[in-house]
Amino acid sequence: MMRIAINGMGRIGRLLFRRLIDSNEVELVAVNDIMDADNLAYLLKYDSIYGTFAGNITHKPGALVANGKEVKALQQQHPYLLPWKDLQVDVVLECSGQFSNRAAAEQHIKAGARRVLLSTTGSNDIPLLVYGFNQHALTKEETIISPGGCMTNCSTHILYILNAIGIKSVQCNILHSYTSRQELVDAPHKQFRRGRAAAEAIIPVEIDLQQSLERLLPTMKDKIASVSTRVPVANGALADFTIQLQHETTREEINKLFSTAAKNDYKGIIEYTEDPLVSLDIKGNTHSCVIDGTLTSVIGNHVKLIAWFDNEYGFTTRMIDWLGLMK
């Protein structure tokens, strides 16, 4: 059984813990975070988005105990000092956000881990592989992998499918729940808008989605613009695509394209719906994107396409899918 460790117990790290602790496919052997173990156990047990942990979780010196399974709890700031060799760790889920370039992520390899799976888009010297799109490019020799971020996992499939018709340009606005990279009260921040009170305003923020999409879809270079608008909700996102196609189309043609994809090649990755959803309805959804056919609109060759996604649950589902490929 594959032995897994998690470095960084923020939102993604804790959700992965909850989802992997009872897995029959992998064994979660250790977590690492600088927070105190009692605080970590509390945050694992009580979650404001996904509710109370379904089971028992306690802590003791150097370990967490969840549903009778003991997981070593470490508090090491430097990954190269972690006991991955002694623990025979196969894959480290690097969820701290601090070690996303090759030199930094390789500290886990030097510590004895066989492979590292980031929880974000890494630097350009790390392969960017989106599950459901180019996962076949994974080789046994590659030790560090970026699965992209939640926005990249949503957008890549949509643009790839539409590019079969031919895309002239695309403007993408991700209406996204606020995150830990924003402030709850006004405070200094190098991106001034991120320093404004997240629960009190609609806040446009800079993102690197355009660069990620151009890496994955090089024929789309200089055709993509993107922004994320943070809204005062704690979970969920709505991706708003305004696309100029090479040819005129119809609302029916676009919806059929995605409903067919969702049933066939992209089953489990894309979902298609014509239910009148709101963001709360996406909580816990495992898909990378949920195309809302009720909101598709077309004027000539101009298309408005709307997709929902759970920025935490959908993305951790893809990370778990990656573990299945990394055996």
Side-chain angles (χ1 to χ4, degrees):
M1 186 177 290
M2 181 185 287
R3 293 170 67 82
I4 304 298
I6 304 173
N7 187 58
M9 295 299 286
R11 293 297 308 160
I12 297 300
R14 295 199 299 273
L15 185 53
L16 283 167
F17 182 103
R18 281 178 162 221
R19 300 189 66 186
L20 292 175
I21 190 62
D22 291 323
S23 172
N24 294 319
E25 304 296 326
V26 302
E27 181 181 3
L28 181 59
V29 297
V31 299
N32 182 55
D33 196 284
I34 59 174
M35 82 171 85
D36 292 337
D38 57 346
N39 198 170
L40 176 54
Y42 171 80
L43 289 173
L44 286 167
K45 183 174 183 179
Y46 299 107
D47 189 281
S48 299
I49 303 301
Y50 299 108
T52 303
F53 180 69
N56 299 311
I57 183 164
T58 59
H59 69 93
K60 64 182 186 179
L64 297 166
V65 182
N67 292 345
K69 298 181 180 180
E70 187 170 309
V71 178
K72 187 174 287 294
L74 306 164
Q75 292 179 291
Q76 176 56 252
Q77 290 186 339
H78 306 292
Y80 64 88
L81 295 176
L82 287 162
W84 298 155
K85 183 177 180 180
D86 292 342
L87 293 173
Q88 299 178 313
V89 170
D90 293 306
V91 179
V92 173
L93 302 177
E94 172 44 61
C95 300
S96 72
Q98 297 181 35
F99 305 98
S100 57
N101 62 60
R102 181 169 291 277
E106 277 182 343
Q107 294 184 60
H108 292 294
I109 305 298
K110 292 175 181 177
R114 186 168 60 88
R115 278 180 157 176
V116 178
L117 178 64
L118 304 183
S119 68
T120 186
T121 301
S123 55
N124 288 340
D125 56 358
I126 296 175
L128 178 55
L129 303 175
V130 170
Y131 193 90
F133 174 69
N134 65 341
Q135 74 274 11
H136 57 275
L138 175 66
T139 65
K140 293 182 178 180
E141 293 73 28
E142 187 53 63
T143 57
I144 303 172
I145 301 158
S146 165
C150 58
M151 291 183 281
T152 306
N153 275 264
C154 170
S155 305
T156 301
H157 311 295
I158 290 171
L159 297 189
Y160 181 74
I161 290 170
L162 285 177
N163 210 27
I165 300 174
I167 295 175
K168 286 187 176 181
S169 64
V170 56
Q171 298 270 353
C172 180
N173 181 11
I174 310 288
L175 284 78
H176 196 292
S177 53
Y178 55 77
T179 73
S180 61
R181 294 177 63 196
Q182 294 173 252
E183 302 291 344
L184 287 180
V185 297
D186 289 355
H189 198 290
K190 63 181 180 180
Q191 290 184 28
F192 290 178
R193 285 185 173 125
R194 284 187 186 265
R196 301 298 300 279
E200 295 294 331
I202 297 171
I203 302 175
V205 302
E206 300 171 19
I207 54 173
D208 62 359
L209 179 61
Q210 174 187 339
Q211 293 88 340
S212 299
L213 291 173
E214 287 182 349
R215 286 178 63 188
L216 292 160
L217 303 164
T219 61
M220 295 283 297
K221 185 172 175 57
D222 299 324
K223 296 181 180 180
I224 304 170
S226 62
V227 67
S228 179
T229 305
R230 301 298 164 87
V231 293
V233 297
N235 176 256
L238 181 154
D240 182 340
F241 297 90
T242 302
I243 304 153
Q244 185 181 23
L245 296 176
Q246 297 282 0
H247 308 287
E248 291 192 359
T249 186
T250 64
R251 180 175 183 268
E252 291 73 22
E253 181 183 12
I254 296 299
N255 281 349
K256 184 178 180 181
L257 190 65
F258 283 98
S259 62
T260 300
K263 294 174 184 175
N264 296 288
D265 292 347
Y266 290 85
K267 188 174 183 180
I269 305 295
I270 293 176
E271 183 178 1
Y272 177 84
T273 185
E274 293 187 1
D275 291 340
L277 302 182
V278 299
S279 62
L280 276 174
D281 302 321
I282 303 302
K283 186 187 299 184
N285 191 291
T286 60
H287 294 83
S288 294
C289 56
V290 180
I291 306 298
D292 193 326
T294 68
L295 299 176
T296 303
S297 62
V298 175
I299 302 175
N301 68 334
H302 287 82
V303 175
K304 171 75 75 174
L305 190 74
I306 301 297
W308 302 95
F309 61 97
D310 183 325
N311 48 293
E312 295 177 353
Y313 212 90
F315 181 67
T316 54
T317 301
R318 298 290 81 78
M319 291 187 71
I320 293 169
D321 286 340
W322 271 110
L323 291 178
L325 291 181
M326 296 172 75
K327 292 180 179 179

